[in-house]
């Protein structure tokens, strides 16, 4: 986990905006200057969690944090107004945290904590926005993608040890 956080913070050092209209690349970190791009980690293109819990790290430009948080508020609104039971279930365990320490370059790291995820349901923001706000989705997506200094890193997590004295043994 510490190594991943370091990777995300290192990615924040080299701002890289996705092409206009394109989603931020999943798991793709920018290459060091003069180096060929590293292949992205084995992360699915969708935002489907298949494990006990999941995290998504997003590196956001410092002047775009208000826009990012506004889009997350619209995602929350979209989940709340959905008639789909799985969308409602998604909202129950999806939390978005903002890192208090600035990353290099002043970028801001946001972490989505999804515990437990609705398994095999897609957490892609564009799908949620399109379903909830079909007339606004394109503008919301453009505003969302403009927030990113670099792509997102997604992790499926498997519980190995629960420190709670009341917890049983993981699978």
């Amino acid at each position: 986990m510490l190594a991943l956080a370091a990777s995300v913070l290192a990615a924040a050092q080299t701002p890289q905006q996705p092409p206009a209209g394109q989603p931020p690349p999943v798991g793709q970190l920018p290459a060091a200057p003069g180096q060929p791009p590293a292949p992205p980690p084995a992360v699915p293109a969708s935002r489907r969690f298949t494990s006990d819990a999941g995290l998504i790290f997003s590196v956001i430009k410092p002047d775009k944090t208000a826009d990012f948080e506004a889009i997350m508020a619209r995602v929350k609104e979209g989940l709340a107004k959905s008639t789909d039971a799985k969308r409602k279930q998604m909202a129950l365990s999806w939390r978005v945290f903002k890192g208090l320490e600035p990353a290099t370059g002043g970028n801001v790291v946001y972490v989505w904590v999804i515990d437990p995820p609705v398994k095999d349901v897609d957490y892609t923001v564009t799908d949620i926005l399109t379903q909830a706000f079909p007339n606004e989705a394109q503008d919301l997506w453009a505003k969302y993608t403009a927030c990113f200094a670099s792509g997102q890193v997604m992790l499926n997590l498997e519980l190995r040890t629960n420190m709670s004295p009341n917890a049983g043994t993981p699978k």
Side-chain angles (χ1 to χ4, degrees), residues 2-15:
L2 186 56
L4 176 65
S7 295
V8 171
L9 293 176
Q13 295 175 7
T14 311

Side-chain angles (χ1 to χ4, degrees), residues 6 9 25 31 63 93 102 115 121 156:
L9 293 176
D63 62 335
S93 61
D115 183 19
V121 172
N156 277 287

Side-chain angles (χ1 to χ4, degrees), residues 127-140:
D127 292 348
I128 297 165
L129 295 174
T130 300
Q131 184 179 54
F133 312 106
N135 296 329
E136 301 173 60
Q138 189 171 11
D139 291 337
L140 291 169

Side-chain angles (χ1 to χ4, degrees), residues 87-99:
R87 291 277 192 230
K88 298 244 183 240
Q89 190 180 356
M90 288 167 66
L92 296 176
S93 61
W94 185 351
R95 296 171 294 167
V96 178
F97 292 89
K98 178 182 181 182

Side-chain angles (χ1 to χ4, degrees), residues 14-34:
T14 311
Q16 176 184 348
Q17 182 169 342
Q22 296 296 315
V26 178
Q28 184 176 353
L29 300 176

Side-chain angles (χ1 to χ4, degrees), residues 1 4-5 7-8 24-29 40-59 90 94 109-114 117-125 144 148 150-158:
M1 187 71 93
L4 176 65
S7 295
V8 171
V26 178
Q28 184 176 353
L29 300 176
V43 176
S46 75
R47 304 301 197 270
R48 291 179 190 271
F49 293 96
T50 58
S51 61
D52 300 329
L55 297 175
I56 293 183
F57 293 86
S58 300
V59 181
M90 288 167 66
W94 185 351
V109 178
Y110 284 83
V111 180
W112 299 358
V113 177
I114 300 158
V118 181
K119 293 198 176 147
D120 294 318
V121 172
D122 203 326
Y123 282 76
T124 301
V125 166
Y144 176 71
F148 286 82
S150 66
Q152 291 180 314
V153 176
M154 178 181 164
L155 285 175
N156 277 287
L157 304 174
E158 179 180 73

